[in-house]
Amino acid sequence: MSLHCQKSAKGDKVNTHKFKADIHQDREDSEAMAIEPPFFEKYKAILQSSANEKEKPSTVEGFEELELPLIDLSHLNLGPLERQECIEKMGQAAIEWGFFQIVNHAVPDELLNRLKQEQIKVFQQPFDKKSENNFLNLSVQSYRWGNPLATSLRNLSWSEALHISLKDISKMDEYNKLRSDAIRHGPLLLSSSPDQCHCGLSYPMSTIEEYAEKANFLAQRLAEYLAQNLGIKANYFQENCSPSSSSLRMNRYPPCPYPSMMFGIIPHTDTDFLTIVSQDQVGGLQLKRNGRWVSVKPNPKALVVNIGDFYQALSNGVYKSITHRVIANQETERYSAAYFYCPTYETVIESCSKPSLYKKFSFKEYREQIQKDVKATGDKVGLSRFLL
């Protein structure tokens, strides 16, 4: 396992006058570019307050860079011994790390490349268009940026995202159908795969829909393999999860002028069973391991998998939902796509063994508790709310 130190990003110490000048200049540049969220306008008070401080507290220091445990899923198709060893390696990574990476996962590189191009097309739209309530015919607040509840640099997220409930993908398809003249006169906003057509309109399956189908199938398989180590019945996830209950979040992390003082995404755990992440090679993902932050070395051939809160509760604390974050980058934008494998809102999650660490709760109850905590404290409290 490679182990080396990642140097802290440039710009740790910033002259107060230069900081204020940069805020003004970068705001003008952002307005000129049109596509960028108005970070400097929205968080002007936070940024200027920080600029007035004599000392600039560094949020991001140097960190060790580690390679996540690597699972080759092709071993599942070999003999029974190799298959069992692969499943056990998955379970051990979920116990010790809460994270692992997978190769030979049956999601084609060509599809992942197309998904990346879709993200670029979406986020290169003018900010005024992205922030419309009906952007791409999606639900309100599908497009998100920053952190509306930020009160300091420590909880400011320098990123934008398109969070798509899978039941909304059909709305995106309808959006493109209504723009079908673009098939004749130019490219659609969302490109398509030639594999499947809808309604006789010569409109193929969208890249996002195609990826979501494959990611959902992969997530279900991984969840079932991990369940074997715990004695959970094989059809648990088929009974309690459906594609329409899961979601896809496409992320963009713009270059950040002061990466040592703020995050791309603030520290958090995931509210789901499993998350499957496709990321580029810029890097920036960090997780908390043995009480300290470590950086994850990007692997160009792998998808990253992490355990969510619900699997930690279901496993009675055996599998770990680990706090993670994304650091900001001063020079290069970063893209990632996270598929959140979730149960239906009515699903009751109960520890698989006794004595239970957690009381029973439904997805709906969990989400409502998160919303209360975020409103009251500015942060997600999570599973500790449900400890017995």
Side-chain angles (χ1 to χ4, degrees):
M1 184 173 293
S2 66
L3 184 67
H4 42 97
C5 184
Q6 182 182 25
K7 296 180 180 178
S8 64
K10 299 177 182 178
D12 273 344
K13 295 184 178 180
V14 182
N15 177 275
T16 299
H17 296 295
K18 181 179 183 300
F19 192 98
K20 291 180 177 178
D22 285 349
I23 290 175
H24 178 74
Q25 182 60 52
D26 286 351
R27 184 173 69 244
E28 288 185 346
D29 291 344
S30 179
E31 291 170 351
M33 291 175 66
I35 70 168
E36 297 291 355
F39 290 108
F40 286 94
E41 190 67 32
K42 174 73 173 180
Y43 302 114
K44 180 178 179 181
I46 295 175
L47 293 166
Q48 289 188 336
S49 173
S50 203
N52 290 329
E53 295 175 5
K54 293 182 180 179
E55 298 293 331
K56 306 297 184 303
S58 182
T59 298
V60 180
E61 303 288 351
F63 295 93
E64 290 178 324
E65 187 176 59
L66 304 180
E67 292 182 357
L68 294 175
L70 181 65
I71 311 295
D72 186 342
L73 296 188
S74 67
H75 290 189
L76 294 168
N77 301 319
L78 301 179
L81 291 179
E82 292 88 348
R83 177 186 177 87
Q84 187 58 33
E85 181 182 359
C86 182
I87 293 172
E88 289 177 358
K89 284 179 65 176
M90 247 186 277
Q92 199 60 34
I95 292 169
E96 295 181 0
W97 288 75
F99 274 77
F100 54 91
Q101 54 189 341
I102 54 175
V103 292
N104 293 316
H105 40 66
V107 181
D109 288 344
E110 181 271 337
L111 176 57
L112 293 172
N113 290 335
R114 276 195 280 126
L115 182 66
K116 169 76 175 292
Q117 293 307 310
E118 297 312 308
Q119 291 181 254
I120 293 173
K121 289 178 185 178
V122 166
F123 291 119
Q124 290 298 313
Q125 296 294 300
F127 174 76
D128 288 347
K129 185 174 183 64
K130 289 184 288 190
S131 56
E132 290 175 351
N133 285 341
N134 62 343
F135 180 53
L136 297 181
N137 211 28
L138 294 172
S139 302
V140 175
Q141 295 184 338
S142 292
Y143 173 73
R144 308 167 184 182
W145 63 277
N147 179 4
L149 300 174
T151 56
S152 70
L153 292 181
R154 294 181 65 83
N155 53 28
L156 196 164
S157 292
W158 200 271
S159 57
E160 58 179 340
L162 190 68
H163 193 96
I164 309 167
S165 172
L166 295 199
K167 63 179 179 290
D168 279 353
I169 290 181
S170 60
K171 296 180 182 178
M172 298 176 73
D173 288 347
E174 184 63 27
Y175 171 85
N176 273 328
K177 289 174 190 175
L178 293 173
R179 292 167 56 90
S180 60
D181 61 311
I183 295 176
R184 299 186 299 273
H185 300 112
L188 292 172
L189 175 61
L190 300 176
S191 68
S192 307
S193 158
D195 296 336
Q196 178 178 337
C197 293
H198 297 273
C199 306
L201 283 174
S202 298
Y203 180 78
M205 176 187 285
S206 71
T207 293
I208 293 175
E209 181 182 10
E210 185 181 354
Y211 175 76
E213 286 188 359
K214 291 188 179 297
N216 186 76
F217 178 73
L218 176 60
Q220 180 178 309
R221 286 181 63 211
L222 293 174
E224 290 171 349
Y225 290 134
L226 287 167
Q228 292 182 27
N229 296 312
L230 303 171
I232 297 170
K233 62 181 182 179
N235 63 344
Y236 175 88
F237 294 99
Q238 292 183 35
E239 290 180 352
N240 293 293
C241 301
S242 71
S244 62
S245 64
S246 297
S247 59
L248 176 67
R249 182 182 176 112
M250 300 193 299
N251 302 298
R252 173 180 176 258
Y253 303 88
C256 176
Y258 306 108
S260 65
M261 295 188 292
M262 60 190 77
F263 299 110
I265 287 185
I266 60 176
H268 66 284
T269 59
D270 289 350
T271 304
D272 62 1
F273 282 121
L274 291 174
T275 307
I276 298 176
V277 179
S278 169
Q279 60 176 339
D280 59 23
Q281 299 312 299
V282 174
L285 175 62
Q286 294 186 333
L287 59 92
K288 209 160 196 179
R289 178 164 167 77
N290 299 326
R292 61 191 179 92
W293 289 102
V294 297
S295 293
V296 173
K297 183 177 182 180
N299 183 332
K301 297 181 179 180
L303 295 175
V304 173
V305 180
N306 67 274
I307 301 297
D309 295 345
F310 296 160
Y311 221 140
Q312 177 168 324
L314 179 66
S315 70
N316 206 22
V318 174
Y319 295 157
K320 303 299 189 295
S321 179
I322 299 296
T323 302
H324 53 285
R325 67 189 187 187
V326 175
I327 60 172
N329 189 293
Q330 187 173 24
E331 299 174 351
T332 308
E333 66 180 355
R334 175 181 184 265
Y335 288 92
S336 70
Y339 184 85
F340 300 104
Y341 186 59
C342 299
T344 62
Y345 261 33
E346 294 74 27
T347 296
V348 175
I349 297 163
E350 182 177 7
S351 298
C352 68
S353 60
K354 305 295 181 183
S356 298
L357 295 177
Y358 306 98
K359 58 186 176 183
K360 295 189 293 185
F361 59 86
S362 68
F363 187 0
K364 181 180 179 181
E365 290 170 335
Y366 197 81
R367 285 291 297 272
E368 289 174 349
Q369 184 62 57
I370 288 175
Q371 290 169 358
K372 290 178 184 177
D373 289 334
V374 169
K375 186 175 181 180
T377 70
D379 201 2
K380 167 187 171 180
V381 177
L383 273 178
S384 61
R385 286 290 194 200
F386 296 87
L387 284 168
L388 288 171

